[in-house]
Amino acid sequence: MSAIREVIDIDCSPDDVFAYVTDSSHLPEWQLSAVAAERLDEGPLHEGSRVRVTRRVGTREMPMTLEFTEIVPPYSWGLHGVDGPVRAHVHGEVEPLEQGRRSRVTMEADFEGHGLGKLLVPLFVRRQLRTELPRDEQLLKERLERDVA
């Protein structure tokens, strides 16, 4: 199956957008299924940095560890899941608009199931993301335009 992709324009600079979306402490503020998130290492964000995220999938809470596979401030980032039955593959891009006064944010995600996750991904996870990703991006836009701009 193909990745799920959403695009939204935000009235904030690419630097502000990138800093916010790559700071794991903000995930529960703009991702509906994120119950908690914490960075597992310290120092500057880099390829290999890990984040522990607990997500609500249906009626269950599922912890998972994600590793940054790409960090190109303020333009793009990538993450992949390294444990758990459902492993995300996420790619995000921030494109400057209007000489950097605004940003176009593109997020793309797909999942790989392991064990029970092989059933969860097609039955629940992809369906949930298809519904949530547009709402997540709208929350991201609202949060950034209200608090950062």
Side-chain angles (χ1 to χ4, degrees), residues 9 14 21-22 26 33 37 41 44-45 59 61 67 74 78 88 90 92 98 101 113 116 148:
D9 291 353
V21 297
T22 58
H26 294 300
S33 66
D41 57 358
L45 192 63
T59 59
E61 289 188 3
E67 182 175 274
V90 178
E98 297 177 18
R101 289 187 299 275
L116 177 62
V148 177

Side-chain angles (χ1 to χ4, degrees), residues 5-145:
R5 183 176 189 262
E6 287 292 327
V7 179
I8 196 164
D9 291 353
I10 299 176
D11 292 334
C12 280
S13 73
D15 288 320
D16 288 339
V17 172
F18 186 86
Y20 188 85
V21 297
T22 58
D23 181 341
S24 60
S25 70
H26 294 300
L27 284 176
E29 297 171 2
W30 65 276
Q31 290 189 4
L32 293 171
S33 66
V35 175
E38 66 175 318
R39 179 124 173 246
L40 298 178
D41 57 358
E42 295 185 20
L45 192 63
H46 62 279
E47 290 180 18
S49 287
R50 289 187 173 204
V51 176
R52 185 82 167 158
V53 181
T54 301
R55 293 196 177 277
R56 192 172 20 273
V57 178
T59 59
R60 296 182 54 182
E61 289 188 3
M62 298 178 66
M64 59 189 69
T65 304
L66 298 163
E67 182 175 274
F68 279 89
T69 57
E70 175 186 355
I71 294 285
V72 184
Y75 303 108
S76 63
W77 73 97
L79 296 147
H80 77 270
V82 298
D83 63 7
V86 176
R87 298 180 191 175
H89 298 274
V90 178
H91 181 76
E93 293 182 3
V94 182
E95 176 187 346
L97 302 174
E98 297 177 18
Q99 290 78 44
R101 289 187 299 275
R102 299 178 66 234
S103 302
R104 176 162 295 141
V105 179
T106 303
M107 285 189 257
E108 195 171 83
D110 206 353
F111 299 93
E112 179 183 339
H114 294 262
L116 177 62
K118 289 181 181 181
L119 294 173
L120 292 175
V121 167
L123 292 176
F124 299 106
V125 177
R126 289 184 61 80
R127 197 174 312 160
Q128 182 172 332
L129 181 68
R130 210 176 294 291
T131 301
E132 282 187 14
L133 189 54
R135 291 188 293 179
D136 288 348
E137 283 195 343
Q138 187 61 42
L139 284 171
L140 175 65
K141 175 182 174 71
E142 291 168 9
R143 174 76 62 172
L144 282 166
E145 289 179 356

